[in-house]
Amino acid sequence: MNILIIGGGELGSSIAEQLIAEGHNITLIEKSDKIAKKLNDELDAYVLAGSGTDVNVLSKANLDRIELFLALTNDDNVNIISCDIVKRLSHYKAFTIAKVENASRYFSNPLINHADFGIDNLIATKQLSINKILDFIAEPETVENINFHDNDIKIIGLQIFEDFAGANKTLKDIASMNKIWKKVRVVAVSKNNNTIIPSGEDTVNIGDKIFIIGKSEILKELIELYFASKTKIKNIIIFGGNRIGKDVAKYEVSRGKKVTIVEEDPDLCASLSEELEQVLIINGSGSNQNILNELDMKDSFVVCITERDEQNIITAVLAKRFGAAKAICNITNIAVSSIINELQDIDSAFSTESLALSEILTYCRKGEIISIYPIPNLKADTMKVKISENLDILDKPLKDIKFPKGMIIGVIIRDKKMIIPHGNDDIRTDDFVISFILPSAKTAVKNLFSNTSDD
């Protein structure tokens, strides 16, 4: 596929790098001459220095051949305008995707639609973060939460503590503890920051993280049976009064939760106090231990979402040491988020850029593979595939198929019904299959589901 990207920042360059590895032809436009030169040296791509709204620069990008356009700068206005320009200059052939951080500012009025600006798909990054935080608050026991199939199917990550009845047992023994384990599938285990695709003989130890796929309501029941925290969350404390913090606070207050926002900017505090009458607003910093002493940290869920990664990390660590039941933080740097998840003092770190990357890559796939969702905390992916009628693996018992090492089939969706697969189950035409794969297996798995091999 011929793809044009504007914006060579962390998100744009990460997506370019991944798409190049998958065999796509990439043209990238970056405003900064310095960054453009660096990317030209590092990427096997055609890199242009200039603005994504400059028609003269865009004319050098062979728009007549572009099939997909990704507007990924940090300027919402540039992303919106460039989609309109590219749509017209490509004679409406290019499919356009725009990252728009403050989407509600532009498109909250029903009379104004993103399609009016030539945008085929809108990635509202702040809303992605809001949704992620709300998922964590709804299920505070989880360290990861990924939705599939209209939220009917999930992958959740859970930390193994010493009170887990299956601690230090094999997965086979855990499966025999209760029939509910037959209704879900453990697709990965993280041990000492190494990810394995487990078999029934693998042992789950204290300190491990396990990742389970299943129906949302079954997973909720599993959590209540085996992973329910003895601590009931009573308070939500949000460090950062930006739009994400404000919207999370509004939602949780509507659900009857006690919410506090800690914000350093006094003017923003004044504005928040007027708008959020039921929320306690404190002017201060999460690194100020006097403020942490004043807050009721016990039984609190702490969300750290200031604009500074270092501040979020420090605050989350301190909050846990001051007694918070759970502390999560937002990290803008994709590379750093995976390292932060190795810290015992932080329950979960997520990157808005990683969430956006996952959403965008869903639209960049060809063939039957309709989405690949990266899980940077594990350096692993989930892959959702629509099964075509010409695959060699069709209508055979799974036990008779030689699957690539480093993959496991988590779920088969057939006629809107979910199947947790076992050895005698098979894959049929028009099934949807959700697999969990390690990076080393990605190429082999793609070939398995497409009956093609890379050149």
Side-chain angles (χ1 to χ4, degrees), residues 69 88 122 133 158 172 210 217 263 276 296 309 329 370 375 378 393 404 417 427 439:
F69 174 62
R88 295 168 189 268
L122 184 72
I133 293 167
L158 295 158
K172 184 171 66 176
I210 63 171
E217 65 266 23
E263 168 57 47
L276 305 174
D296 184 11
D309 286 359
C329 63
I370 57 177
I375 307 176
L378 284 177
I393 59 175
K417 294 181 180 179
I427 297 172

Side-chain angles (χ1 to χ4, degrees), residues 180-218:
I180 194 171
W181 289 98
K182 302 290 186 183
K183 300 178 182 179
V184 300
R185 191 169 179 87
V186 178
V187 292
V189 179
S190 177
K191 291 177 171 288
N192 301 317
N193 302 318
N194 292 316
T195 303
I196 64 168
I197 301 296
S199 70
E201 303 301 323
D202 283 300
T203 301
V204 173
N205 301 115
I206 296 167
D208 290 351
K209 293 177 183 176
I210 63 171
F211 293 79
I212 310 172
I213 192 168
K215 279 194 171 184
S216 298
E217 65 266 23
I218 299 296

Side-chain angles (χ1 to χ4, degrees), residues 379-391:
K379 297 180 181 177
D381 297 325
T382 59
M383 179 184 286
K384 184 178 180 182
V385 181
K386 173 75 173 349
I387 301 300
S388 67
E389 57 187 346
N390 61 346
L391 296 184

Side-chain angles (χ1 to χ4, degrees), residues 148 153-155 181-188 197-198 211-215 219 381-385 398 403 407-413 417-422 425 427 432-437 449:
F148 294 95
I153 296 172
K154 276 186 177 181
I155 287 180
W181 289 98
K182 302 290 186 183
K183 300 178 182 179
V184 300
R185 191 169 179 87
V186 178
V187 292
I197 301 296
F211 293 79
I212 310 172
I213 192 168
K215 279 194 171 184
L219 291 172
D381 297 325
T382 59
M383 179 184 286
K384 184 178 180 182
V385 181
L398 296 181
F403 289 104
M407 80 159 285
I408 186 171
I409 292 180
V411 162
I412 298 171
I413 303 166
K417 294 181 180 179
M418 188 193 80
I419 300 168
I420 296 294
H422 299 284
D425 289 305
I427 297 172
F432 289 91
V433 175
I434 299 176
S435 302
F436 196 95
I437 58 176
F449 286 124

Side-chain angles (χ1 to χ4, degrees), residues 2 4 122 131 144 180 183 196 198-199 224 315 326 333 353 359 374 390 424:
N2 296 308
L4 171 61
L122 184 72
N131 293 344
E144 185 55 272
I180 194 171
K183 300 178 182 179
I196 64 168
S199 70
E224 290 173 356
T315 301
K326 182 149 186 174
N333 189 320
E353 300 289 81
E359 288 285 317
N390 61 346
N424 290 321

Side-chain angles (χ1 to χ4, degrees), residues 115-346:
D116 299 331
F117 295 85
I119 302 170
D120 292 309
N121 190 267
L122 184 72
I123 306 296
T125 51
K126 281 192 174 178
Q127 192 59 49
L128 291 175
S129 293
I130 291 166
N131 293 344
K132 191 74 171 178
I133 293 167
L134 294 178
D135 281 345
F136 278 130
I137 294 175
E139 293 181 337
E141 295 86 359
T142 62
V143 297
E144 185 55 272
N145 217 311
I146 302 170
N147 292 302
F148 294 95
H149 212 61
D150 297 327
N151 297 335
D152 186 46
I153 296 172
K154 276 186 177 181
I155 287 180
I156 60 170
L158 295 158
Q159 179 88 40
I160 300 300
F161 295 105
E162 55 188 24
D163 59 351
F164 172 51
N168 303 319
K169 293 183 179 180
T170 65
L171 287 174
K172 184 171 66 176
D173 291 336
I174 292 172
S176 66
M177 293 192 306
N178 189 305
K179 63 182 180 181
I180 194 171
W181 289 98
K182 302 290 186 183
K183 300 178 182 179
V184 300
R185 191 169 179 87
V186 178
V187 292
V189 179
S190 177
K191 291 177 171 288
N192 301 317
N193 302 318
N194 292 316
T195 303
I196 64 168
I197 301 296
S199 70
E201 303 301 323
D202 283 300
T203 301
V204 173
N205 301 115
I206 296 167
D208 290 351
K209 293 177 183 176
I210 63 171
F211 293 79
I212 310 172
I213 192 168
K215 279 194 171 184
S216 298
E217 65 266 23
I218 299 296
L219 291 172
K220 188 172 183 179
E221 184 182 346
L222 183 76
I223 290 172
E224 290 173 356
L225 284 172
Y226 288 99
F227 299 95
S229 172
K230 295 181 176 65
T231 302
K232 298 301 178 185
I233 302 297
K234 296 178 181 177
N235 311 313
I236 311 294
I237 301 175
I238 302 169
F239 290 90
N242 50 33
R243 188 214 146 189
I244 296 174
K246 183 174 71 173
D247 283 5
V248 169
K250 281 183 179 178
Y251 180 82
E252 293 302 327
V253 164
S254 73
R255 295 177 67 245
K257 294 286 179 67
K258 178 183 174 184
V259 181
T260 300
I261 292 179
V262 181
E263 168 57 47
E264 291 187 59
D265 184 341
D267 293 334
L268 183 52
C269 284
S271 174
L272 290 169
S273 295
E274 291 182 7
E275 189 174 352
L276 305 174
E277 294 181 358
Q278 295 177 283
V279 177
L280 175 62
I281 309 297
I282 297 175
N283 181 211
S285 166
S287 57
N288 184 328
Q289 298 192 31
N290 291 327
I291 287 178
L292 295 177
N293 268 322
E294 293 174 8
L295 293 168
D296 184 11
M297 283 290 179
K298 187 180 179 184
D299 302 340
S300 291
F301 190 110
V302 173
V303 181
C304 305
I305 47 167
T306 73
E307 307 301 327
R308 292 174 291 167
D309 286 359
E310 321 84 61
Q311 182 71 27
N312 291 338
I313 295 166
I314 292 169
T315 301
V317 170
L318 287 174
K320 289 289 287 187
R321 293 180 182 178
F322 274 76
K326 182 149 186 174
I328 66 172
C329 63
N330 184 20
I331 304 296
T332 58
N333 189 320
I334 295 175
V336 171
S337 64
S338 60
I339 299 171
I340 298 306
N341 275 287
E342 298 173 9
L343 297 177
Q344 294 299 317
D345 284 320
I346 297 177

